Amino acid sequence: EERQAIWSARLDGDRYLRMECADRGFNVYRVEDAPSAVAPTWGYNRIENAGFEEAGPGSIHPWDFDGPAVPLQVGDNTIVSLSARATLSQSVDVADGRLYRLSLRAASSGDIDEGFFQIAWYDPTGGLRLFYRRALSTTTQEQSYFQTAPAGVSRAVVSVRGSGVRVDNVRLEELLAGPEQEAASPLRVGGPASPEARSSTATPSP
């Protein structure tokens, strides 16, 4: 299958790295002799109500939640507080073979294994193809990772889970390649990036 390409940082001297794909914590790059004249751009955020401004008692439409998920007003900003290993999730349409960036602003005050953000990929029949999760930082900050949508998927479920987790501004954006960013050659990678990252083709735990 063909995957999109994105330019990244200078490697050394006159060599540059171009991202070919991202898979469960691994980013694969190609070494090139020149930088691209076109900077990568990102499409619209596929997450609705990303900053939770549209939240009411017992409702954070169109988010689904399992367990205590409470909107909190912090100054002029709305965040969601998760406790007792609550899960906040949203399902969105995606295109297979495309490169996406999942990002959010969050922190987990509990054990590092209890707070994570995850993306799960599903085919049109509802079958789970792949999921990847990464532990949340214990300090409030912007956190993100790249993922290439596996072949045959049409939907992704983005979720955040934990105890003592505060989350805001969840984004899932597709890379929009410029005219000089041609499709990459077929590459396949897999495996977790670190002990804090988990990935599987099995059913994700609730």
Side-chain angles (χ1 to χ4, degrees):
E1 74 195 78
E2 291 185 339
R3 296 174 185 247
Q4 290 175 289
I6 170 176
W7 284 100
S8 184
R10 181 191 296 268
L11 176 60
D12 56 37
D14 294 327
R15 296 191 302 170
Y16 296 81
L17 294 178
R18 184 175 70 173
M19 184 186 290
E20 296 286 345
C21 68
D23 193 348
R24 291 166 288 178
F26 281 125
N27 296 339
V28 177
Y29 298 86
R30 175 181 293 175
V31 179
E32 300 283 355
D33 295 329
S36 171
V38 180
T41 58
W42 297 93
Y44 69 94
N45 184 13
R46 293 175 181 264
I47 301 294
E48 295 184 49
N49 195 16
F52 311 112
E53 283 78 11
E54 300 173 18
S59 174
I60 315 173
H61 182 78
W63 291 91
D64 296 315
F65 54 94
D66 180 12
V70 181
L72 298 176
Q73 198 69 26
V74 180
D76 295 331
N77 191 40
T78 303
I79 66 172
V80 169
S81 174
L82 304 178
S83 58
R85 297 187 178 181
T87 300
L88 185 70
S89 63
Q90 187 175 143
S91 175
V92 298
D93 293 331
V94 293
D96 67 348
R98 312 296 284 184
L99 180 63
Y100 291 88
R101 175 177 60 189
L102 175 61
S103 63
L104 79 173
R105 182 171 179 81
S108 173
S109 61
D111 186 273
I112 193 67
D113 290 331
E114 291 192 17
F116 63 78
F117 60 122
Q118 171 180 289
I119 188 165
W121 306 96
Y122 293 86
D123 63 28
T125 68
L128 175 66
R129 290 294 186 90
L130 189 75
F131 80 92
Y132 176 68
R133 65 178 57 160
R134 180 171 290 183
L136 290 169
S137 170
T138 54
T139 58
T140 301
Q141 58 182 287
E142 296 288 341
Q143 302 169 62
S144 66
Y145 56 80
F146 298 103
Q147 274 289 100
T148 300
V153 304
S154 60
R155 184 170 57 91
V157 176
V158 171
S159 58
V160 185
R161 178 187 171 184
S163 301
V165 169
R166 292 192 169 194
V167 59
D168 189 22
N169 197 26
V170 184
R171 305 185 66 84
L172 182 66
E173 300 160 298
E174 177 188 343
L175 171 69
L176 302 178
E180 296 187 12
Q181 293 171 308
E182 60 185 18
S185 58
L187 288 173
R188 289 187 177 277
V189 292
S194 71
E196 296 178 4
R198 301 176 183 174
S199 64
S200 176
T201 55
T203 303
S205 58

